[in-house]
Amino acid sequence: MGKALDNVYKHQSLAYKYFLYLVSVALIVFFFPKGGKFKYEFQKGKPWQYENLYAPIDFSIQKSTDEIAQEQLSIRNTKTDYYNFDASIVSSIKSNVQKELEQLATSNAYSARQQRNMLNVGMAVIDSIYAKGVFENSPGSNSIVLVRNNEAIPMAPNDFIDLEGAKRQVSLQISRSNVVDKAGLENTVQSNIKPNLFYDETLTESALQQELSKISYTRGEVSEGRLIIAKGEVVEAENFKILNSLKEEYESELWQGNNYYYIMLGYTILVALVLIMLFLFLKRYRNEIFKNNNKVTFIFFNILLMVLATTLMVKNNESYVYGVPLCILPLVLKNFFDARLGLFVHVLTVLILGFVVPNSFEYIFLQIIAGIVTILTASELYKRANLFISVGQITLIYIIGYFAFHAIHEGNLENIEWILFGVFVLNGLLTLFAQPLIYMFEKLFGLISDVSLLELSDTNSKLLKKLSDKAPGTFHHSLQVANLAEAAANEIGANAMLVRVGALYHDIGKMEKPTFFTENQVTNVNPHDDLPPRESAKIIIDHVIQGIEIARKNNLPDRIIDFIRTHHGTTLVYYFYKKQQELEAEVDDNDFRYPGPIPFSKETAILMMSDAVEAASKSLKNPTFLVIDEFVEKIVKGQMQANQFLNANITLKEIEMVKKILKQKLTNIYHLRVEYPE
């Protein structure tokens, strides 16, 4: 029955991986921009490496974005401004001027003839000024069209007159007249002058858009069969524009009709091949990760996240594709797993994105180099300065790489797109988001990072303080084991921070009954003396189960709980087993055996050796180097004979290195001092 359940679980796990694989391939292909891929790669300033290229179809030469923008700017700078003529204002001004002149004539007792003369001159001046109209301020454009009685009348620059100019004209014309009161007439007319030409923004914008819509996005045609470029010919400015036009025409035509299905099939096969490489790598070199569906899901989730972000950027504005912080991927994976896996996944992701990004060779080159720099420079991310230094180096690599490619393409350092430097800096700033992202991934996938390990290693944490108060001997023992295990892990290249934290918490189950463990007994009274050996063994064994329960209640990560579960493996509680044998002939050793499992990693194996050596070393009397050497060899040999390291990926050479460190550390602990005279 047990084997059947194991087979079901194994097949279920494998079925989930197949499902994850198929869904990932489908999503990535779905994310890709809907367009074909031009079958030739070319770069400005480099030779054409293929055979002579003849135009396969008739197509138009597309203008560049800069050319179109220049034409649009030219039209905007020379646009025509439209003004409306308000005739009612002139009538209102004449009416007001007539009334004020009548009052002026009455108050000064002018004759009817003088009054009529002033009125005629004033009206003539007004008609003269408003013949074309008066602006409030001089127009900013030389191209003006006056809309009057539904008729568009172009105005010459010398026809423009603003409010101040109109008043000067009033003064000039009245000064030449023969009216009786020039000053009075001038003041009356000037005080009533108002602008009657008003800017029509709606009509102006409509006319502008109409002119912009007339811009042609092409400049010339290329007929089918025409030689576009010969083999070995350098791709220069004109050829580069023609090739780009052919590429756009080819890709837009390719994605139509039955071609769509072939393109989808091609993308699917290529993406599937890349992801198969990932599965093969995990199966061959990271089998413990391959067996863990949660970790496999986490890796695929990160790949999909980067592919989605990049393809969205390509669809919206491919010029800013380097703004996507792709180096977050190796940073995160290195933090949770190892550098080799992080770089491998990063390279595969870049290969997938190479299908859709512009200048794929340049993109792949820069991103792989940046990924390598990330792996080489990013270490101990729990130290904030390290992340900032790493991000600075990544940004510098992008900038240097861009300079190099620009020099190759252009043959000079002119026309550098300085905005790309801002994009690279933005990329670096977004890469700093790796820290909060790591925290979110910890909570979402139940993983553990170096930052969390550093927090857990604080001996002032709530749980370790509780251990120190309830079981001070166990707490001191855990500190000693942590020091031994950390040194051994550093020696063989294991995760020293992880094994240290695991050592600090491995015996927290002893808090339940601390006095039943010798390190916490402060008197000569031993509670085991009043208990049968089988019951005493059960209390000792139960500290593993109780430790797991305490760890879960305090939300310790599973990777730390693994150390609690495995630090005794399936070894015997040998002392009480022997005592029971003195009482009865046949003893079931399962009653005196820890439940396991046995260690399944280098780190848990190191903890088992360090814990056993440190605990047993308390019984040493007058230790010498030879005694310590034999003592460590005996304990580790016993564990190996009990097959406790079969599932751990630790080699015999590494076990020898661990034993060497344990001997050195114990020698330092028990070194003899010169006796000082009293």
Side-chain angles (χ1 to χ4, degrees), residues 92 134 212 255 263 291 304:
S92 174
V134 176
L212 290 174
W255 196 254
I263 293 170
K291 291 177 181 178
L304 290 173

Side-chain angles (χ1 to χ4, degrees), residues 372-411:
I372 293 172
V373 170
T374 303
I375 292 297
L376 294 177
T377 61
S379 61
E380 299 179 327
L381 291 184
Y382 55 85
K383 297 178 180 178
R384 289 171 295 181
N386 288 0
L387 180 59
F388 281 95
I389 293 171
S390 179
V391 166
Q393 292 172 330
I394 294 168
T395 305
L396 183 62
I397 286 296
Y398 278 126
I399 292 173
I400 293 174
Y402 168 72
F403 263 119
F405 276 108
H406 183 84
I408 292 171
H409 296 164
E410 301 294 334

Side-chain angles (χ1 to χ4, degrees), residues 494-510:
N495 191 330
M497 179 68 75
L498 177 62
V499 76
R500 178 175 182 82
V501 175
L504 289 173
Y505 291 91
H506 79 283
D507 269 344
I508 56 175
K510 292 182 179 180

Side-chain angles (χ1 to χ4, degrees), residues 457-480:
S457 67
D458 183 7
T459 54
N460 288 315
S461 65
K462 182 179 178 181
L463 189 55
L464 290 180
K465 287 286 286 183
K466 188 176 180 181
L467 176 64
S468 176
D469 293 337
K470 286 191 172 183
T474 299
F475 177 72
H476 180 73
H477 158 72
S478 298
L479 287 176
Q480 293 281 34

Side-chain angles (χ1 to χ4, degrees), residues 607-626:
L607 177 62
M608 172 178 272
M609 289 183 272
S610 303
D611 180 45
V613 166
E614 201 286 329
S617 69
K618 303 301 182 185
S619 63
L620 291 176
K621 297 178 181 179
N622 300 320
T624 62
F625 180 79
L626 183 60

